[in-house]
PDB file of all heavy atoms in Angstrom:
ATOM      1  N   VAL A   1      91.182  76.828  94.475  1.00  0.00           N
ATOM      2  CA  VAL A   1      89.731  76.785  94.315  1.00  0.00           C
ATOM      3  C   VAL A   1      89.385  76.574  92.854  1.00  0.00           C
ATOM      4  O   VAL A   1      90.157  76.911  91.951  1.00  0.00           O
ATOM      5  CB  VAL A   1      89.051  78.080  94.818  1.00  0.00           C
ATOM      6  CG1 VAL A   1      89.230  78.254  96.309  1.00  0.00           C
ATOM      7  CG2 VAL A   1      89.574  79.300  94.067  1.00  0.00           C
ATOM      8  N   GLU A   2      88.181  76.007  92.630  1.00  0.00           N
ATOM      9  CA  GLU A   2      87.653  75.886  91.276  1.00  0.00           C
ATOM     10  C   GLU A   2      86.140  75.908  91.335  1.00  0.00           C
ATOM     11  O   GLU A   2      85.534  75.530  92.344  1.00  0.00           O
ATOM     12  CB  GLU A   2      88.155  74.607  90.610  1.00  0.00           C
ATOM     13  CG  GLU A   2      87.852  73.338  91.372  1.00  0.00           C
ATOM     14  CD  GLU A   2      88.494  72.132  90.724  1.00  0.00           C
ATOM     15  OE1 GLU A   2      88.880  72.219  89.539  1.00  0.00           O
ATOM     16  OE2 GLU A   2      88.617  71.094  91.392  1.00  0.00           O
ATOM     17  N   GLY A   3      85.528  76.374  90.253  1.00  0.00           N
ATOM     18  CA  GLY A   3      84.078  76.444  90.199  1.00  0.00           C
ATOM     19  C   GLY A   3      83.572  76.220  88.795  1.00  0.00           C
ATOM     20  O   GLY A   3      84.211  76.616  87.821  1.00  0.00           O
ATOM     21  N   THR A   4      82.418  75.553  88.705  1.00  0.00           N
ATOM     22  CA  THR A   4      81.789  75.279  87.420  1.00  0.00           C
ATOM     23  C   THR A   4      80.290  75.482  87.566  1.00  0.00           C
ATOM     24  O   THR A   4      79.699  75.096  88.574  1.00  0.00           O
ATOM     25  CB  THR A   4      82.068  73.834  86.971  1.00  0.00           C
ATOM     26  OG1 THR A   4      83.470  73.612  86.902  1.00  0.00           O
ATOM     27  CG2 THR A   4      81.457  73.574  85.591  1.00  0.00           C
ATOM     28  N   GLY A   5      79.680  76.086  86.575  1.00  0.00           N
ATOM     29  CA  GLY A   5      78.236  76.271  86.610  1.00  0.00           C
ATOM     30  C   GLY A   5      77.849  77.687  86.242  1.00  0.00           C
ATOM     31  O   GLY A   5      78.670  78.473  85.765  1.00  0.00           O
ATOM     32  N   ASN A   6      76.578  78.004  86.499  1.00  0.00           N
ATOM     33  CA  ASN A   6      76.095  79.334  86.106  1.00  0.00           C
ATOM     34  C   ASN A   6      76.069  80.327  87.256  1.00  0.00           C
ATOM     35  O   ASN A   6      75.802  81.493  87.060  1.00  0.00           O
ATOM     36  CB  ASN A   6      74.711  79.228  85.465  1.00  0.00           C
ATOM     37  CG  ASN A   6      73.695  78.589  86.399  1.00  0.00           C
ATOM     38  OD1 ASN A   6      74.005  78.301  87.557  1.00  0.00           O
ATOM     39  ND2 ASN A   6      72.488  78.364  85.892  1.00  0.00           N
ATOM     40  N   SER A   7      76.349  79.846  88.486  1.00  0.00           N
ATOM     41  CA  SER A   7      76.397  80.769  89.616  1.00  0.00           C
ATOM     42  C   SER A   7      77.108  80.086  90.777  1.00  0.00           C
ATOM     43  O   SER A   7      76.646  79.050  91.267  1.00  0.00           O
ATOM     44  CB  SER A   7      74.982  81.174  90.032  1.00  0.00           C
ATOM     45  OG  SER A   7      75.028  82.137  91.068  1.00  0.00           O
ATOM     46  N   PHE A   8      78.242  80.636  91.192  1.00  0.00           N
ATOM     47  CA  PHE A   8      79.000  80.004  92.268  1.00  0.00           C
ATOM     48  C   PHE A   8      79.969  81.004  92.885  1.00  0.00           C
ATOM     49  O   PHE A   8      80.262  82.055  92.312  1.00  0.00           O
ATOM     50  CB  PHE A   8      79.767  78.780  91.763  1.00  0.00           C
ATOM     51  CG  PHE A   8      80.728  79.076  90.640  1.00  0.00           C
ATOM     52  CD1 PHE A   8      81.993  79.586  90.884  1.00  0.00           C
ATOM     53  CD2 PHE A   8      80.342  78.861  89.322  1.00  0.00           C
ATOM     54  CE1 PHE A   8      82.874  79.869  89.855  1.00  0.00           C
ATOM     55  CE2 PHE A   8      81.210  79.146  88.273  1.00  0.00           C
ATOM     56  CZ  PHE A   8      82.483  79.650  88.544  1.00  0.00           C
ATOM     57  N   PHE A   9      80.465  80.650  94.043  1.00  0.00           N
ATOM     58  CA  PHE A   9      81.508  81.414  94.719  1.00  0.00           C
ATOM     59  C   PHE A   9      82.312  80.453  95.590  1.00  0.00           C
ATOM     60  O   PHE A   9      81.747  79.639  96.311  1.00  0.00           O
ATOM     61  CB  PHE A   9      80.913  82.518  95.597  1.00  0.00           C
ATOM     62  CG  PHE A   9      81.939  83.237  96.434  1.00  0.00           C
ATOM     63  CD1 PHE A   9      82.717  84.241  95.896  1.00  0.00           C
ATOM     64  CD2 PHE A   9      82.151  82.889  97.761  1.00  0.00           C
ATOM     65  CE1 PHE A   9      83.678  84.903  96.657  1.00  0.00           C
ATOM     66  CE2 PHE A   9      83.098  83.533  98.529  1.00  0.00           C
ATOM     67  CZ  PHE A   9      83.863  84.544  97.980  1.00  0.00           C
ATOM     68  N   ALA A  10      83.626  80.520  95.503  1.00  0.00           N
ATOM     69  CA  ALA A  10      84.492  79.702  96.357  1.00  0.00           C
ATOM     70  C   ALA A  10      85.750  80.488  96.678  1.00  0.00           C
ATOM     71  O   ALA A  10      86.278  81.212  95.829  1.00  0.00           O
ATOM     72  CB  ALA A  10      84.855  78.390  95.672  1.00  0.00           C
ATOM     73  N   ARG A  11      86.220  80.357  97.896  1.00  0.00           N
ATOM     74  CA  ARG A  11      87.407  81.080  98.345  1.00  0.00           C
ATOM     75  C   ARG A  11      88.184  80.219  99.323  1.00  0.00           C
ATOM     76  O   ARG A  11      87.597  79.509 100.143  1.00  0.00           O
ATOM     77  CB  ARG A  11      87.016  82.401  99.018  1.00  0.00           C
ATOM     78  CG  ARG A  11      88.208  83.234  99.521  1.00  0.00           C
ATOM     79  CD  ARG A  11      87.732  84.519 100.177  1.00  0.00           C
ATOM     80  NE  ARG A  11      88.837  85.291 100.720  1.00  0.00           N
ATOM     81  CZ  ARG A  11      89.534  86.202 100.043  1.00  0.00           C
ATOM     82  NH1 ARG A  11      89.230  86.441  98.790  1.00  0.00           N
ATOM     83  NH2 ARG A  11      90.517  86.869 100.607  1.00  0.00           N
ATOM     84  N   ALA A  12      89.497  80.260  99.238  1.00  0.00           N
ATOM     85  CA  ALA A  12      90.365  79.579 100.194  1.00  0.00           C
ATOM     86  C   ALA A  12      91.452  80.540 100.644  1.00  0.00           C
ATOM     87  O   ALA A  12      91.985  81.306  99.837  1.00  0.00           O
ATOM     88  CB  ALA A  12      90.990  78.332  99.568  1.00  0.00           C
ATOM     89  N   GLU A  13      91.760  80.521 101.921  1.00  0.00           N
ATOM     90  CA  GLU A  13      92.806  81.368 102.503  1.00  0.00           C
ATOM     91  C   GLU A  13      93.734  80.495 103.335  1.00  0.00           C
ATOM     92  O   GLU A  13      93.292  79.583 104.036  1.00  0.00           O
ATOM     93  CB  GLU A  13      92.185  82.445 103.399  1.00  0.00           C
ATOM     94  CG  GLU A  13      91.178  83.342 102.718  1.00  0.00           C
ATOM     95  CD  GLU A  13      90.436  84.229 103.710  1.00  0.00           C
ATOM     96  OE1 GLU A  13      90.751  84.152 104.913  1.00  0.00           O
ATOM     97  OE2 GLU A  13      89.539  84.962 103.283  1.00  0.00           O
ATOM     98  N   SER A  14      95.006  80.779 103.280  1.00  0.00           N
ATOM     99  CA  SER A  14      95.977  80.047 104.081  1.00  0.00           C
ATOM    100  C   SER A  14      97.090  80.992 104.511  1.00  0.00           C
ATOM    101  O   SER A  14      97.394  81.961 103.818  1.00  0.00           O
ATOM    102  CB  SER A  14      96.558  78.873 103.289  1.00  0.00           C
ATOM    103  OG  SER A  14      97.091  79.317 102.048  1.00  0.00           O
ATOM    104  N   ALA A  15      97.680  80.699 105.650  1.00  0.00           N
ATOM    105  CA  ALA A  15      98.747  81.547 106.166  1.00  0.00           C
ATOM    106  C   ALA A  15      99.610  80.733 107.115  1.00  0.00           C
ATOM    107  O   ALA A  15      99.125  79.811 107.784  1.00  0.00           O
ATOM    108  CB  ALA A  15      98.181  82.766 106.886  1.00  0.00           C
ATOM    109  N   SER A  16     100.880  81.058 107.178  1.00  0.00           N
ATOM    110  CA  SER A  16     101.783  80.395 108.122  1.00  0.00           C
ATOM    111  C   SER A  16     102.933  81.341 108.459  1.00  0.00           C
ATOM    112  O   SER A  16     103.244  82.261 107.701  1.00  0.00           O
ATOM    113  CB  SER A  16     102.317  79.075 107.556  1.00  0.00           C
ATOM    114  OG  SER A  16     103.062  79.288 106.369  1.00  0.00           O
ATOM    115  N   ALA A  17     103.548  81.090 109.593  1.00  0.00           N
ATOM    116  CA  ALA A  17     104.638  81.957 110.055  1.00  0.00           C
ATOM    117  C   ALA A  17     105.603  81.160 110.916  1.00  0.00           C
ATOM    118  O   ALA A  17     105.212  80.206 111.601  1.00  0.00           O
ATOM    119  CB  ALA A  17     104.085  83.139 110.851  1.00  0.00           C
ATOM    120  N   VAL A  18     106.866  81.550 110.860  1.00  0.00           N
ATOM    121  CA  VAL A  18     107.877  81.015 111.776  1.00  0.00           C
ATOM    122  C   VAL A  18     108.618  82.193 112.399  1.00  0.00           C
ATOM    123  O   VAL A  18     108.843  83.221 111.747  1.00  0.00           O
ATOM    124  CB  VAL A  18     108.877  80.075 111.069  1.00  0.00           C
ATOM    125  CG1 VAL A  18     108.186  78.788 110.646  1.00  0.00           C
ATOM    126  CG2 VAL A  18     109.527  80.747 109.862  1.00  0.00           C
ATOM    127  N   LEU A  19     108.972  82.045 113.658  1.00  0.00           N
ATOM    128  CA  LEU A  19     109.650  83.120 114.382  1.00  0.00           C
ATOM    129  C   LEU A  19     110.676  82.529 115.327  1.00  0.00           C
ATOM    130  O   LEU A  19     110.413  81.545 116.013  1.00  0.00           O
ATOM    131  CB  LEU A  19     108.639  83.964 115.152  1.00  0.00           C
ATOM    132  CG  LEU A  19     109.183  85.186 115.897  1.00  0.00           C
ATOM    133  CD1 LEU A  19     108.151  86.299 115.913  1.00  0.00           C
ATOM    134  CD2 LEU A  19     109.559  84.821 117.331  1.00  0.00           C
ATOM    135  N   GLY A  20     111.859  83.134 115.351  1.00  0.00           N
ATOM    136  CA  GLY A  20     112.907  82.711 116.271  1.00  0.00           C
ATOM    137  C   GLY A  20     113.492  83.893 117.002  1.00  0.00           C
ATOM    138  O   GLY A  20     113.636  84.992 116.437  1.00  0.00           O
ATOM    139  N   ASN A  21     113.808  83.682 118.265  1.00  0.00           N
ATOM    140  CA  ASN A  21     114.420  84.717 119.105  1.00  0.00           C
ATOM    141  C   ASN A  21     115.897  84.376 119.316  1.00  0.00           C
ATOM    142  O   ASN A  21     116.230  83.240 119.688  1.00  0.00           O
ATOM    143  CB  ASN A  21     113.691  84.769 120.447  1.00  0.00           C
ATOM    144  CG  ASN A  21     114.303  85.794 121.378  1.00  0.00           C
ATOM    145  OD1 ASN A  21     114.317  86.971 121.093  1.00  0.00           O
ATOM    146  ND2 ASN A  21     114.830  85.312 122.498  1.00  0.00           N
ATOM    147  N   PHE A  22     116.797  85.347 119.094  1.00  0.00           N
ATOM    148  CA  PHE A  22     118.232  85.109 119.159  1.00  0.00           C
ATOM    149  C   PHE A  22     118.913  86.147 120.045  1.00  0.00           C
ATOM    150  O   PHE A  22     118.569  87.331 119.980  1.00  0.00           O
ATOM    151  CB  PHE A  22     118.859  85.167 117.763  1.00  0.00           C
ATOM    152  CG  PHE A  22     118.311  84.151 116.805  1.00  0.00           C
ATOM    153  CD1 PHE A  22     117.133  84.416 116.101  1.00  0.00           C
ATOM    154  CD2 PHE A  22     118.960  82.954 116.582  1.00  0.00           C
ATOM    155  CE1 PHE A  22     116.612  83.492 115.208  1.00  0.00           C
ATOM    156  CE2 PHE A  22     118.453  82.020 115.693  1.00  0.00           C
ATOM    157  CZ  PHE A  22     117.278  82.288 115.009  1.00  0.00           C
ATOM    158  N   SER A  23     119.870  85.700 120.831  1.00  0.00           N
ATOM    159  CA  SER A  23     120.695  86.596 121.650  1.00  0.00           C
ATOM    160  C   SER A  23     122.050  86.745 120.967  1.00  0.00           C
ATOM    161  O   SER A  23     122.828  85.786 120.889  1.00  0.00           O
ATOM    162  CB  SER A  23     120.874  86.031 123.060  1.00  0.00           C
ATOM    163  OG  SER A  23     119.636  85.939 123.726  1.00  0.00           O
ATOM    164  N   ILE A  24     122.325  87.943 120.468  1.00  0.00           N
ATOM    165  CA  ILE A  24     123.543  88.197 119.702  1.00  0.00           C
ATOM    166  C   ILE A  24     124.570  88.873 120.612  1.00  0.00           C
ATOM    167  O   ILE A  24     124.311  89.946 121.173  1.00  0.00           O
ATOM    168  CB  ILE A  24     123.258  89.079 118.476  1.00  0.00           C
ATOM    169  CG1 ILE A  24     122.074  88.510 117.687  1.00  0.00           C
ATOM    170  CG2 ILE A  24     124.494  89.182 117.608  1.00  0.00           C
ATOM    171  CD1 ILE A  24     122.262  87.105 117.194  1.00  0.00           C
ATOM    172  N   LEU A  25     125.734  88.260 120.750  1.00  0.00           N
ATOM    173  CA  LEU A  25     126.783  88.775 121.622  1.00  0.00           C
ATOM    174  C   LEU A  25     127.470  89.985 120.994  1.00  0.00           C
ATOM    175  O   LEU A  25     127.404  90.183 119.775  1.00  0.00           O
ATOM    176  CB  LEU A  25     127.804  87.678 121.908  1.00  0.00           C
ATOM    177  CG  LEU A  25     127.264  86.410 122.573  1.00  0.00           C
ATOM    178  CD1 LEU A  25     128.374  85.374 122.720  1.00  0.00           C
ATOM    179  CD2 LEU A  25     126.630  86.729 123.912  1.00  0.00           C
ATOM    180  N   PRO A  26     128.141  90.819 121.791  1.00  0.00           N
ATOM    181  CA  PRO A  26     128.858  91.983 121.247  1.00  0.00           C
ATOM    182  C   PRO A  26     129.842  91.577 120.152  1.00  0.00           C
ATOM    183  O   PRO A  26     130.629  90.638 120.326  1.00  0.00           O
ATOM    184  CB  PRO A  26     129.589  92.540 122.475  1.00  0.00           C
ATOM    185  CG  PRO A  26     128.739  92.123 123.635  1.00  0.00           C
ATOM    186  CD  PRO A  26     128.206  90.773 123.271  1.00  0.00           C
ATOM    187  N   GLY A  27     129.761  92.249 119.012  1.00  0.00           N
ATOM    188  CA  GLY A  27     130.647  91.968 117.900  1.00  0.00           C
ATOM    189  C   GLY A  27     130.287  90.730 117.101  1.00  0.00           C
ATOM    190  O   GLY A  27     130.977  90.403 116.127  1.00  0.00           O
TER     191      GLY A  27
END
């Protein structure tokens, strides 16, 4: 974000995720 002047407001939000499911054998 960026802002210029005598009165302003700016906001940015971002998010991401990765997920994996695994079957782990004995040992």
Side-chain angles (χ1 to χ4, degrees):
V1 295
E2 56 186 342
T4 303
N6 58 5
S7 184
F8 58 82
F9 174 81
R11 180 180 177 89
E13 303 171 2
S14 54
S16 61
V18 291
L19 184 147
N21 178 62
F22 300 84
S23 297
I24 310 301
L25 301 177

